[in-house]
């Protein structure tokens, strides 16, 4: 399998893909290892995870360059991701023992009642390329801490990073028969779905997530899906600083080149401040440094996948045909690499693909609204339910909108943020289940109830 640098279109290296015929042997190897791993105290398993985090931070620069080389993520953003993902390990260190410990519910009378939490067993983690540290850590570190073994399949666009996870987990003391990284494309993923595993945890598109859920349904094992979004932002007319709201909105839409499941993908702006907001946002977007992702000053690098260039081109053409106005950007850049101009469209409406279909690129559509009720109805007009944001100086007014949206995460005066302290979950086409928080720890165990008579 060729690993291509999206900034240069050059082949970085070639990796040997896993032969699907070897999967049963690898999974059997993991099943044996899991038995001993689960017997170890939580503190001992957690110690390995903490050491892993230390090794990652000690090798930060090298790992950031690897991530940038295969995904095109600007180097500063690669550094940010790797350093930021450490908060998952801190969260586990602070909370895992508490949430995995047995619970006594009744300790008097004739029958004592308690719950113990047992690991699922061998789980598959089919992961994503856009934030491999964040979304990977959400699954495999929590699963390992809970006593599972993990078959980890990174995206083919982040395979080098996946192998680094394996390398440093092994160095940190996680046995080789407890974590294995397997390299391959969608065909390997399909074979994994056929194997005898105790849970499937996937991050990626709705289409693939739906296929996974349907394929493994007959097994009646846990399936968790972290899927896409078409996340709305509503800017109310009472924002304290319109320019700052525009700067924050632009970051939410264009960070990591817009390649984030929780990126702002459509903006609704009160008519009273619309023109000022648009002008400020366009000014901010035009200030972004676009170029070589290894340059620390670069904010917009290439897209990771060449196929997305056509998706963006089609969305823009559709929007313009339906009456949208192009304020900046709008086409692939005339240079080597998968570069696309940061693009802002105004005069958008719900008939346009750019306001309905996931873009996953440096493009944003803006629509003017006359009231909170109009904005609410437009924000609700989606099959996705990942996040939604409102910018306003009035918390009560903002919450009146956010409380009526069927989303897993709501933001007031912020957007595109993830914290390990609260669940990360999607509704409707944005997924099933939750990672992070206490729920994210308990996602990798199954309760066993005890009724004990002394």
């Amino acid at each position: 399998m060729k690993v291509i640098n999206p900034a240069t279109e050059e082949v970085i290296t070639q990796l040997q893909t896993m032969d699907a015929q070897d999967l049963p042997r690898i999974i059997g190897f993991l099943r044996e290892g899991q038995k001993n791993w689960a017997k170890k105290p939580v503190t001992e398993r957690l110690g390995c995870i903490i050491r892993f985090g230390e090794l990652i931070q000690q090798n930060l620069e090298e790992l950031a360059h690897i991530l940038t080389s295969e995904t095109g993520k600007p180097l500063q953003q690669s550094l940010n991701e790797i350093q930021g993902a450490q908060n998952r390990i801190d969260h586990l260190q602070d909370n895992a023992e508490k949430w995995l410990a047995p619970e006594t519910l009744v300790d008097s009378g004739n029958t004592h009642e308690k719950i113990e939490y047992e690991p699922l067993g061998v789980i598959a983690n089919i992961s994503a390329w856009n934030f491999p540290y964040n979304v990977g850590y959400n699954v495999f570190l929590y699963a390992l801490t809970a006593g599972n073994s993990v078959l980890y399949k990174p995206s083919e666009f982040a395979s080098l990073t996946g192998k680094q996870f394996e390398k440093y987990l092994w160095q940190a003391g996680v046995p080789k028969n407890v974590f294995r990284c397997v390299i391959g494309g969608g065909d390997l993923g399909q074979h994994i779905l056929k194997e005898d595993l105790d849970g499937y945890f996937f991050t990626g598109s709705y289409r693939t997530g739906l296929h996974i859920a349907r394929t493994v349904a007959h097994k009646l094992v846990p399936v968790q899906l972290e899927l896409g979004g078409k996340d709305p932002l509503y800017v109310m007319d009472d924002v304290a600083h319109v320019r700052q709201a525009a700067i924050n909105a632009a970051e939410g839409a264009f960070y990591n080149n817009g390649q984030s499941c929780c990126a702002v993908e459509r903006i609704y702006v009160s008519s009273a401040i619309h023109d000022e907001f648009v002008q400020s946002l366009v000014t901010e977007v035009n200030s972004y440094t676009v170029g070589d992702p290894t340059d620390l000053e670069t904010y917009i690098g290439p897209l990771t996948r060449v196929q997305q260039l056509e998706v963006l081109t089609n969305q823009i053409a559709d929007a313009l045909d339906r009456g949208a106005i192009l304020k900046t950007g709008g086409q692939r850049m005339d240079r080597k690499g998968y570069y696309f101009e940061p693009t802002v469209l105004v005069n958008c409406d719900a008939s346009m693909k750019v306001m309905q279909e996931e873009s996953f690129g440096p493009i944003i559509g803006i629509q003017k609204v006359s009231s909170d009720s109009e904005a609410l109805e437009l924000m609700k007009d989606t099959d996705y339910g990942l996040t939604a944001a409102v910018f306003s100086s009035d918390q009560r007014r903002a919450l009146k909108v956010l409380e009526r949206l069927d989303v897993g995460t709501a933001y007031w005066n912020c957007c595109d943020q993830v914290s390990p302290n609260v669940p990360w979950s999607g509704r409707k086409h944005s997924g099933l289940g939750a990672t992070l928080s206490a729920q994210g720890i308990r996602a990798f165990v199954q309760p066993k109830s005890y009724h004990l008579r002394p």
Side-chain angles (χ1 to χ4, degrees):
M1 184 178 73
K2 293 179 180 179
V3 179
I4 297 173
N5 184 329
T8 64
E9 302 182 49
E10 296 173 352
V11 177
I12 301 170
T13 187
Q14 295 190 62
L15 297 175
Q16 182 63 50
T17 56
M18 164 71 69
D19 188 332
Q21 294 182 347
D22 289 335
L23 277 175
R25 176 181 61 82
I26 295 296
I27 292 169
F29 188 56
L30 289 170
R31 197 165 294 285
E32 283 301 310
Q34 191 270 331
K35 295 175 184 176
N36 292 325
W37 181 247
K39 292 175 183 178
K40 296 182 182 295
V42 174
T43 51
E44 187 173 337
R45 299 195 298 260
L46 191 55
C48 295
I49 303 306
I50 293 168
R51 286 193 292 276
F52 167 77
E54 293 168 349
L55 288 169
I56 292 295
Q57 298 305 318
Q58 290 166 15
N59 293 277
L60 175 64
E61 294 287 339
E62 178 190 3
L63 292 171
H65 278 279
I66 290 171
L67 179 57
T68 291
S69 72
E70 63 180 342
T71 66
K73 185 191 294 280
L75 183 59
Q76 185 59 61
Q77 295 178 26
S78 291
L79 292 165
N80 294 347
E81 180 185 350
I82 298 170
Q83 291 174 308
Q86 175 65 31
N87 67 10
R88 275 70 166 172
I89 297 173
D90 297 339
H91 179 254
L92 285 167
Q93 187 173 4
D94 293 341
N95 296 285
E97 289 182 74
K98 173 176 63 179
W99 290 109
L100 294 173
E103 292 183 79
T104 298
L105 283 303
V106 178
D107 197 23
S108 61
N110 293 330
T111 303
H112 294 192
E113 298 169 358
K114 71 172 185 175
I115 306 170
E116 291 193 356
Y117 296 96
E118 299 179 346
L120 300 175
V122 183
I123 66 106
N125 178 195
I126 303 173
S127 200
W129 52 263
N130 58 331
F131 286 96
Y133 283 83
N134 289 337
V135 300
Y137 282 17
N138 289 1
V139 176
F140 68 75
L141 292 187
Y142 284 70
L144 290 169
T145 302
N148 301 279
S149 59
V150 178
L151 180 73
Y152 178 74
K153 183 201 167 300
S155 163
E156 54 268 45
F157 300 102
S159 295
L160 297 178
T161 294
K163 294 304 288 184
Q164 295 299 310
F165 293 156
E166 181 181 71
K167 171 185 174 180
Y168 288 114
L169 282 168
W170 289 357
Q171 283 191 23
V174 175
K176 293 184 177 180
N177 60 358
V178 170
F179 183 91
R180 292 300 293 264
C181 173
V182 295
I183 301 299
D187 54 341
L188 179 62
Q190 182 63 31
H191 284 288
I192 290 172
L193 302 183
K194 298 176 182 177
E195 296 298 332
D196 181 22
L197 291 161
D198 302 306
Y200 292 85
F201 296 78
F202 169 73
T203 304
S205 70
Y206 163 73
R207 181 179 177 181
T208 303
L210 181 63
H211 171 73
I212 290 171
R214 285 173 169 168
T215 303
V216 305
H218 68 283
K219 300 183 182 185
L220 299 181
V221 298
V223 176
Q224 189 157 291
L225 307 172
E226 182 183 336
L227 309 179
K230 192 65 183 174
D231 300 354
L233 165 63
Y234 172 33
V235 186
M236 292 180 168
D237 54 11
D238 66 350
V239 290
H241 302 286
V242 174
R243 180 174 178 273
Q244 189 59 53
I247 291 171
N248 294 347
E251 181 182 24
F254 290 92
Y255 192 82
N256 196 38
N257 223 358
Q259 298 171 128
S260 171
C261 56
C262 58
V264 174
E265 288 231 353
R266 50 199 172 107
I267 300 177
Y268 304 102
V269 185
S270 170
S271 57
I273 61 168
H274 175 270
D275 292 352
E276 181 184 357
F277 177 88
V278 169
Q279 181 179 352
S280 296
L281 186 138
V282 171
T283 299
E284 177 67 11
V285 171
N286 285 338
S287 74
Y288 291 157
T289 300
V290 182
D292 179 0
T294 63
D295 186 337
L296 287 173
E297 298 301 315
T298 295
Y299 192 80
I300 300 288
L303 292 163
T304 302
R305 300 171 63 250
V306 66
Q307 299 94 323
Q308 206 64 19
L309 293 166
E310 184 177 359
V311 172
L312 299 178
T313 300
N314 289 340
Q315 285 193 356
I316 292 167
D318 171 76
L320 296 177
D321 285 346
R322 295 175 184 272
I325 300 170
L326 182 67
K327 299 296 289 187
T328 190
Q331 61 186 354
R332 181 176 183 174
M333 296 182 70
D334 185 17
R335 60 179 295 169
K336 203 160 193 176
Y338 310 146
Y339 288 88
F340 201 93
E341 295 174 343
T343 300
V344 178
L345 293 158
V346 298
N347 202 38
C348 294
D349 63 51
S351 71
M352 300 172 186
K353 293 179 180 179
V354 73
M355 303 299 277
Q356 290 290 334
E357 299 177 4
E358 193 171 20
S359 300
F360 230 64
I363 175 176
I364 192 67
I366 301 175
Q367 182 171 350
K368 184 188 300 185
V369 296
S370 60
S371 66
D372 292 355
S373 59
E374 181 186 8
L376 175 61
E377 291 308 308
L378 291 167
M379 294 172 84
K380 289 164 62 176
D381 184 22
T382 180
D383 291 327
Y384 292 101
L386 192 59
T387 81
V390 173
F391 287 1
S392 170
S393 60
D394 186 339
Q395 181 178 1
R396 181 177 297 180
R397 180 182 171 192
L399 289 177
K400 283 182 68 176
V401 172
L402 292 171
E403 288 167 354
R404 296 177 63 186
L405 293 169
D406 192 13
V407 296
T409 297
Y411 300 114
W412 174 50
N413 289 339
C414 57
C415 53
D416 193 24
Q417 295 186 4
V418 181
S419 166
N421 300 310
V422 292
W424 184 246
S425 62
R427 301 181 183 181
K428 302 187 290 183
H429 287 190
S430 289
L432 292 172
T435 54
L436 304 177
S437 77
Q439 295 184 43
I441 296 173
R442 293 253 177 99
F444 298 96
V445 292
Q446 47 197 340
K448 179 180 283 186
S449 300
Y450 285 86
H451 301 258
L452 307 173
R453 286 193 173 178

